Structures are given as C-alpha cells and as structure tokens.
Amino acid sequence: MSTIASHKKRSGLMDWLTTVDHKKIGIMYLLGGLFFFLIGGIEALFMRLQLIKPENDMFVGETFNQLLTMHGTTMIFFAAMPILIGFMNCIVPLQIGARDVAFPFLNALGFWMFLFGGIMLNCGWFLGGAADAGWTAYAPLSTTSAGHGVDFYILGLQISGAGTLMGGINFLVTIINMRAPGMTFMRMPLFTWTSFVASLLILFAFPPLTIGLFQLMFERVFDANFFNADNGGNAIIWEHIFWIFGHPEVYILILPVFGIISEVVSTFAKKRLFGYSSMVFATVLIGFLAFMVWVHHMFTVGLGAVPNSIFAVATMAIAVPTGIKIFNWLFTMWGGKMKFTVANVWALSFIPTFVMGGVTGVMLAIPAADYQYHDSYFVVAHFHYVIVGGVVLGVFSGLYYWYPKIFNRKLNEKLGFLNFWLFFIGFHLTFFPQHFLGLLGMPRRVFTYLTGQHWDTMNFISTIGALMMGLGVIVLAVNMLISISSKYKVTSGDPWDGRTLEWAIPTPTPEYNFAQTPLVRGLDPLWVEKSAGNKEMTPAEPVGDIHMPNGSILPLIMSIGFFIAGFGFIYHHWLVAGVGIGIGLICMLLRSVIDDHGFHIHKEEVEADLRGVKA
Amino acid sequence: MNLSERFTDTNIPEHPEKATLEGKNKFVGFWLFLGGETVLFATLFGTYLGLRHMHGTGPTAKELFQLPTVFLATMILLTSSLTSVYAILAMKQNKIRAMQGWFFITLLLGLAFLGLEIYEFNEYVHEGHTFTKSAFSSSFYTLVGFHGGHVLFGCLWLISLLVRNWSRGLNLYNAPKYYLFALYWHFVDVVWVFIFTVVYLMGKVG
Amino acid sequence: MGFYEVMKKWLQKGRLVPLFAMMAFMLMGCGDPTISTLNPQGQVAKDQYSLMVLSIAIMTLVLVVVFLIYIIALFRFRAKKGDDSIPKQVEGNHLAEITWTVIPIILLIILAVPGVYGTFKASAGDKAPKNQIDLKVTAHQFWWEFEYPKEGVVTSQELVLPKNTKVHVELSSQDVLHSFWIPSLAGKTDTNPGDGTKTYTWLETGKTERVYKGKCAELCGASHALMDFKVKVVSESEYKDWLTNMKSATAKSTADTAAGQKVFKQNCMSCHAVGKDGGNTAPNLTGFGDKERIAGILDHNKENLKKWIHDPQKVKPGNNMPKFGGKLSDEDIDAVADYLMSLKLK
C-alpha cells in the first residue's frame, strides 16, 4: 500500500481553522453553542427584568420584541442545536467504533456555516436593530417589519441551516456505513440511535425551512407575493411551512437528549437500559410522528374542526412512545445501584421535569382547550419545561458525563452540585408560576401588563427564578474555566466505569480514535468485555496504516463567502452578493478539482502510541 | 489499488462508484441529499398549488402557457437523462471516450433546455407575467426557477468534471464523481416531469 | 417489594382520591372573573374549562404514578458504600411494557373523545344562524374595530353585548396577524389578512352584567402588549338603547366644544369618524366620552387623552397615529380633548 506524503502538520490557531477532525469540530460546536447560550440567556434575563413588575419601562415595544425574537432564535438554532451536534461529533463516531465521520470536509463546513450564521443573526443588534417578528417570523409581520432585523434573521438562518443539513447527512452516512464489525443497528447505543433519528429529521425538516426563508427573502427583497394578501398571497402558507419544519425541529432537540439520559442513567445505575428494543422503537416512532402533528401549533388559525381533530389525535399519540421511554428509564433505575454523580443528578432531575412538560403537552393537544392556552404564558411554561427542563438539563448531564472524554478533564463535583441546585430550583421558580399566569389570561410576548389582574406576584417570582438560573450558569462557566488547571486532568479513559465503546479509548483520544477497529460482541460492548473479564476490546484487525483526511481552509473561506453574500442581499448590493456567492462557488470548484487523497498514519506510529498507552 | 490509478479493462470493479469506503459514503450520502431535495421541491409545489389561481390582474395559466415549447423542453431534458445513462454504462465498461461523448451531449441538451426556459420566461414577462405581478407569478417563477437553477448548477458541475478529468482516465477517485452527477441529473429530470404535469398540464386543463 | 405491590397498596388505600378532590377545588373560581380562564363566565369558556379540568385530572393521575415510582426508585436503589456488587442486568419485561403502552392509550381515548366532541361543538360556520347577533371583528395595529352588520353600527375598542346571548363572530385583519381573546368568555381565534382566510367563532356572554377584558394574543408589532379591548355585557334593554343611540349619534357640539370640534374636523376626521362622518382607517370615536379606556390602555380622563394626542408613540409605540404635539397648539389639543370627552351617547 502506498501512502501519500501530502500531510502537513499544522499547529495552534491554523490547526483549529483548518481541522476536519470530528473531535475538534465537536469542541468548536460545543464552545460556540455555549457562547450563544450565554447571549440568549442574557436576552432572557433582560425580558424577565422588564416583567418583574407591572408597567415597567426598562425594555419596551420594539426593543422587547427584538429580545424575545433573538432569545428564541438564538436558543433553538445557535445554542441547543450546535451543542447537541457538538456531542454527536465528539461521541457518535467513538460509540460506533469509527475512526472518523463520513464527510470530514462537509463536517467542518457545517460548523463554520453555523458560526457565521449565528454572527450574521446577531449583527442586527449593531446595525439598526435585530429581528423583531418572533422566532416564528409570522408573515406579514415579518415581511413588513421595518429595518433589516428580519433580513439578518433570514440570512443567518439560511446560512446556518445549510450547515445543519450537511451535518445531518454526515451523521446518517457515518452511522449507516462506518460501524465497527459486530456493531449492528440493534446494538447501537441509544445516543447513537437518537442522533440517527434526529439526523433523519434534520434531513427532511430543514428543506421546508430553506424554502420558507427563500420565500420570506424574495418577499422582502424582490417584492414577491407569497404572503401578501393584497396581491393574492396567503399568510397561512408561511405558518404551515414554518411548522412543518418547526415541529420536527423541537424533536431534533429532544431526541439526542433522550439518548444522553439513557446513557447516563444506565451507566450510573450499573444496569443495562431497561427495554432497549422498545426504546429504539419509541425513538423511531416519535421521529415519524414528528411530521404528522404540525397543525397543533395552528389550532386557532381557523382551519376547521376536522383538521384540528385529526392533528389533535395524532399529537396525543406521541404521548404513548414518550411514556414508554419514561417508564423504561424508571425501570432502569429500579433494581440498580445508583451513584449520584453530578451527571446522574442532572439526568435524574430531567425525568420528572420532562414529564411535567409532557403532560402539559397532552393538555395542549385538545383543540378546544388549546383555544384558551394558545399564545398564553401556559404555552411559554410548557415549552420551557420541555426545552429547558428537557433539553438543557439533558445537555448539562451530557456535559458533566462526557467532559472527561471531550476535554480530558473532570469538572469539579462540588461546584457541579451548586450549579445543579441553583439552576434546577431557579428553573422551577421561573416556569412553574407561568402555567398559572397563562391560565389567568396573560398572553405571551407582551412587554408589560397592568396591575390588578393577579399577575404581579407570579411575575416577580418568575424573575427571581430566572436570576437564580443565571447564577447557576455562571457557576458552570467558572467550573469549566478552572477545569483548565491540570489538577482536573483525568488519566483513565474510563472514569465512570462506562458501558459503551467511547470509554474503551485511552485518554487523550488519539487522532485516529481506535488503533485497531474493535470487534463488537453485544449491546454495551465495553460492559460485555468487562463482564467476560477482559480489560479491553478485542480488535477486529491487526495494527496497520490508518488513512486520515487532510485538513482544509476551504470550509472557512466558503462560509465567509456566504457571509459576505448575505450582507449583499440584506443591503440590496448585488455586486457584494455576487462576490460572496462567487467566493463560495470558487471554493466548491477548488474542492472539486484539487485531488485530496488524505494521508496515512504509519503502522509504526500507531504501534508506538499503543506502547505508550501500555507503559 | 491506488485511488488515482487508471482502471484497465481487467481490473475495473463491477461498481467502481462504490468500490471504496469514500465512494460508498458519497453514494449513500447523495441519495439522502436527494431525499432532502425532494422535500425542498415538495414545499415549492405545495406553495404553488396553494396560490396558482391567484393571478390577480395578470394573465392566467391557461392564457399563458404554450405547450409546444414546454413539450420540446421536456423532450430535451428526458433525452439528456437517457444520454447520461449511456455515459454511466460506458463508464462501467471503462470506455472513457464514449463516456465523455455521452456526457458532452448531455451537457449540450442541458444548455438547450436552459436556453428554451430563458426564452419562455422572456415571453411571459412581455405578456405582463412578471415576478411581482401576483401570488401566482411569484410562486410560478420560484418553483420553475429553482428547477432551472438546478439545471444550471448541473451544467457547471458537469463542465468542471469533464474539463478536470479530460485526459486522466477513470479511477477509484473520479468514478464516484461521475456517478453522482448522473444521479443528480436524473433527479432534476424527474422534478421536471412533475413540473410539466402539475404546472403546465394542470394549468392548461384548469 | 416490587412495583405492582406498591401500586396496589396505594390504590387500595384510596390515597389518590383526596388528591383529585383537592386539585379540582384549588382550580375552581381561580382569578379575576373578567380575565381568568379558570373562572369562566360564558358557555363557550365553560365548555373549554371543563375540558381543561378533565385533562388536568388525567394528567395529574399520570404525574402521581410517575412521581411515586420515581421517588421510590430514587431512595431504594442507591449504591451503598463499599457495595461493589453488580446489580442484575434486566433486559426488559413484556408484561410491564405492555401495561405502560396500553394504559396511556386508554387514558388518551378518555381524553380524545370529549376533546374532539368539544372541538366540533366550538367550531362556527361562515354563516350566522337566524336571530343571532352577528358581529364582524377587524383587527388593526393596535386596535379593534367591531361592526354589527345587521344594525349598521360600527364601534371600536369596546364591544357592547346583551347578556345571555350567543354571538356569531367573523374575524379578519387589516394588516398583520392578531388573535381575538376574551379569556373569561371564549378562547382565542386568529384574525388573518385577506378575504380568503376569514375565521369564525362563537361567543356567549353569560348571565352577569360586567366589563370583560379582551386581549390580542398574537405578536403583532411593538404595541402588541397594549392591544387590549373591553367587552361590556349589559342588559337587553341597555343594549337596545345603545344601538339606537349609536345609530342616531352625530358629530354635534355645544358652545363650549365648538372650537374643539373645528380642530377635530380639520385634523382628525380624515381617519377618525364620529357617527356617520369621517374616515375609517382609525378607531370610530362615536360615544367616546362613555369609554372605559383611552387607546384601550390608559385610564379614561382628559389628562391622559391630551397626553395621547400630544405624542401617541409614547403611549403605544409603533401605532399609526401621527404626533400632534408641536403640530397643534396646546390650546387646540385641550379643545379637542374637551370635545372628545363630551361625546356621550346619552
């Protein structure tokens, strides 16, 4: 076998800008996502401060609308999704015994597009006002909104959405084609399974958003008439398109978290996941139903009793597979020997919290009752229970759990508990009263309210809770910062007595992940080997040369090109738009015409690494 | 076999596009991508179906469409799909010149289709059917234009593919690239069949 | 003790029953009767409330069961110090898995049947039945226009309706999406722009004479939070009188308010109407002196009215009324305010 000597070792910043290594891209996704999480959190705190008392005048009117729009958009697209995609990048290839992802170049491109999309969205703040039509951007409010805020929303989401789509395809192909010998579909860890289904949802849900955003853009920039009733357009079309994307989108967020919870609860109960097959079945079913229920966001639009009822029943049906999951987690706990590490405490707190969000979801599914809940604070409470109480608690669990694998450090457990209690109590204080605010008639997305409606105390409590959550996040940030100290270094590749393949890899994870591709002999492959008295996985191949992809600066340049083009479209400057698109196309052409065969890590190097680990 | 080593008639694999892991990944990935593209066009079709009667003061579909031109365009594109099939058959037999020839014809047909489409759009604009005229016109140009954009991108892709590999022969590295292009081209063709039916035929009938 | 024994014990001892009773009691009559969905006054809201109670009850049952298993598991299955033994690795349990698939399905059916029935009951066709009050609601940024087409009466911001009446409502919007919501009387229905997407709903006024609060429930721009309206439920005779007065109302003035009327005619009537005269792009001001609120949000007094005319953007950012401070002299604004406050129906 010949090798190609085109491998250039890059170091420092240049290494990060050109990397196609899924572990590094994962770290960049995580850090990028956490950065936007802080921004979205600050926006949330500003809103809660405005609502701390009736007729407050801190952030009113347009400013408040910008805050609520940017908070929602940032949290969904630029915090929750990238953090989860970061976990997928760091963990999925390791869990299936792969040395890499299927498309390393596209993976890097996806990350840079996400980052520049997020920057583009936030540019609005500095250039005349951010988007103000809600994260749902309902037309015609979005098509007639003055200034360029909504344009930044459209272009920012368009750029990052394309990146997400690439990420989705990448994970699908990685999981289909690159599993280690013996890693059958029904032996895949739940996190890999849920990432797989979430990627399928990305593949089929993002294209409608792409088209919807194009339509919004054409309407704003070129005076098209999709949603303009004066020229025969129909604003409800946007609602359909948005929610055909939007409902699967929330499942894209929650499914990987279901996976995280399954891994963490099972690991720390020292028990195999209860009802693995039904968990997989429930995951796939939820993924399928995700596309059948979008109209439940539109019960009050006036589509009629027949469509409303059909979508109501479909929505309720989702409670069944979700319930299966909850009970499987409960019975994974049952009979186990649970260790209360911080990671596990986050995961265990997820279960009742998410159930509370789930039951309000079933309540919202009844159209006639939803006429009362819809667009009130009840809905705000519901989706924060599933997104914060679900996704964020799960993300924090995953962060504490996989931190040693991703950063080779362990987070401080004492600070971890402080982080947990502040955030968890703060969360319930913030959102539990909001159920009642909604039932007492408070609409959502309002920048103020009059006194004398029984809303004042609960709004006050809610704001105090939000501040506590903010403190919790600060503690997390401190915890991550001090973990840089070598005191927190881990030496073992398996600090939690893990069950899945990622824990079979030494710390730090080698560039090629597995010196020898492992042979998988059952569900929870590492646990299988441990139970059989083996210290490590049985290799499926002898030590040999390992093929690796070359790094490239093109993904970064291409993303910058689309970023520039975005400004051209926003300011109707066609030359700039053309130059930006041109940069993107030239990068594609270069990628196509420059042969890139990757390089090989030689057998001798791998053997040397292996000796180093054993020594 | 080295990635950039020319195939010979004896060592060419039965499925050169799937002979390496990279090739397999591209093959599966591209099929998935086309799945996403299907949803993309479905959304455009949905919007068009919802708005196709909202022509306002502009011309209706019935008044506008000239079936002979569109039929000619359809025939051209269908033929180009056929020639790309011949190209891939030639590729699998390592007949590099034949493959290039068939792809070249495919490219010419694609360009001819684009020319017809531009001519057609130009006619429509002169009849008052501009992009901003009505909801019907906006959704029409967006749907058909998105397809036209796909044809244009396909032509550019094919040109770069042919130019880059003109004198290099076939190998494990470029065989999947040709194959994916052909897949893409068939997809674009299938979408056109739907456009022909849903937009033009249904527009004429009522 | 296994899971089934625990559940059996709890069910036998009937510990769940008082919990339900407590919850239903807690929810009853919650909040302000003019704006709370938990204190419904009209039949539409009452039907919706009963669906809410049913779903809350079933969901509380679910929560109790899940929390119970959860808490028991949490306390019983902790790792003891020094115990390094491996717990039994359980693959699953078919009976248990079937149980927690089938029971939720049954609960959902119990919920879905009345849910679907209620949804059909709440839906209104595009034609109002005979002898029913017919109402057209048109939403604007950021105010509400109410038209009684059978009577030829148009008013704004404050809806007047007789008690014990079922009203057929047709809704649309002049600009962006809004949503029409009177929590104590009926759930919300969106207002969409354009003729093709009109919506229809029912509204029942209940037996109490009272002023209910209405809200816009769909983000509609800078002053979405301030797009309030009122529903005055009055006796049948009061309603009749009100209609008669509205029909006969004209832009009359007395010697005291003649100056104000002149200013009003020159500056305001291209948009605002009083009686039959004036424009229709801004709220109809017939009977303005009797209203509950200024611009739907401020207390109804002359000072607030002057503040509003002076700079409407300060009160309701993003609304379409131009600023008159600086354009009109303070005396003129004062005169207009006097004139408007004098526009009483009786």
Side-chain angles (χ1 to χ4, degrees), chain C residues 5-234:
Chain C
E5 289 88 282
V6 176
M7 280 315 298
K8 226 166 110 189
K9 204 175 98 190
W10 275 70
L11 286 172
Q12 274 168 354
K13 291 197 176 166
R15 288 187 195 174
L16 300 178
V17 179
L19 214 128
F20 275 136
M22 203 176 74
M23 199 193 61
F25 182 73
M26 268 170 57
L27 283 177
M28 281 246 284
C30 248
D32 184 341
T34 64
I35 191 165
S36 171
T37 66
L38 300 178
N39 199 346
Q41 303 295 317
Q43 194 53 45
V44 179
K46 281 179 183 167
D47 289 346
Q48 289 164 343
Y49 175 72
S50 61
L51 280 174
M52 287 159 64
V53 171
L54 173 70
S55 59
I56 292 175
I58 294 178
M59 290 303 124
T60 310
L61 174 72
V62 172
L63 279 186
V64 169
V65 172
V66 170
F67 280 26
L68 218 68
I69 303 172
Y70 175 76
I71 289 167
I72 295 170
L74 204 58
F75 284 96
R76 283 195 47 198
F77 300 105
R78 297 159 168 264
K80 310 261 170 347
K81 266 217 172 101
D83 177 9
D84 278 339
S85 65
I86 310 267
K88 195 177 156 210
Q89 304 290 307
V90 187
E91 251 182 69
N93 179 327
H94 283 298
L95 178 66
E97 287 173 55
I98 290 168
T99 313
W100 63 60
T101 309
V102 172
I103 292 182
I105 291 177
I106 295 170
L107 292 180
L108 288 174
I109 291 172
I110 296 175
L111 198 55
V113 171
V116 169
Y117 173 77
T119 304
F120 276 86
K121 191 180 170 197
S123 85
D126 57 359
K127 289 262 165 15
K130 272 180 194 165
N131 306 325
Q132 213 111 45
I133 294 184
D134 211 355
L135 179 70
K136 271 191 182 168
V137 174
T138 310
H140 303 251
Q141 280 172 323
F142 302 93
W143 59 281
W144 297 90
E145 180 182 332
F146 302 115
E147 185 188 349
Y148 301 72
K150 283 180 194 153
E151 314 289 346
V153 166
V154 177
T155 186
S156 67
Q157 302 292 46
E158 291 178 14
L159 185 54
V160 179
L161 290 169
K163 62 184 178 180
N164 295 322
T165 308
K166 193 168 182 180
V167 184
H168 180 267
V169 191
E170 176 188 310
L171 304 110
S172 65
S173 165
Q174 272 301 310
D175 36 55
V176 301
L177 303 180
H178 305 269
S179 195
F180 178 77
W181 187 26
I182 312 156
S184 298
L185 295 182
K188 58 195 79 64
T189 309
D190 291 0
T191 68
N192 305 309
D195 290 337
T197 50
K198 285 198 166 128
T199 50
Y200 306 90
T201 191
W202 292 114
L203 183 61
E204 285 187 67
T205 51
K207 55 181 190 279
T208 324
E209 290 172 33
R210 191 187 266 142
V211 180
Y212 293 100
K213 290 174 184 143
K215 297 273 171 192
C216 173
E218 182 64 67
L219 181 65
C220 58
S223 285
H224 162 58
L226 307 176
M227 196 170 151
D228 287 4
F229 63 98
K230 298 284 176 289
V231 184
K232 285 183 182 169
V233 175
V234 297

Side-chain angles (χ1 to χ4, degrees), chain A residues 9 38 64 152 200 259 370 433-434 520:
Chain A
K9 275 269 182 213
L38 290 181
F64 190 88
F152 282 108
L200 265 178
D370 178 71
Q434 292 186 357
V520 174

Side-chain angles (χ1 to χ4, degrees), chain A residues 587-605:
Chain A
C587 288
M588 278 189 218
L589 184 69
L590 288 177
R591 172 66 183 164
S592 175
V593 299
I594 299 174
D595 285 358
D596 181 2
H597 298 312
F599 66 96
H600 282 90
I601 293 174
H602 290 284
K603 186 179 168 185
E604 294 74 29
E605 286 178 59

Side-chain angles (χ1 to χ4, degrees), chain B residues 151-203:
Chain B
V151 175
L152 176 64
F153 183 84
C155 290
L156 294 176
W157 181 4
L158 184 54
I159 291 172
S160 70
L161 204 54
L162 288 178
V163 170
R164 177 68 183 98
N165 294 294
W166 193 254
S167 51
R168 294 215 296 178
L170 276 168
N171 55 37
L172 284 172
Y173 187 68
N174 62 20
K177 295 187 175 204
Y178 286 119
Y179 188 84
L180 292 197
F181 168 77
L183 262 186
Y184 175 84
W185 199 252
H186 291 315
F187 173 78
V188 172
D189 201 27
V190 170
V191 171
W192 179 259
V193 172
F194 279 91
I195 290 181
F196 181 65
T197 317
V198 172
V199 177
Y200 292 100
L201 289 184
M202 276 170 65

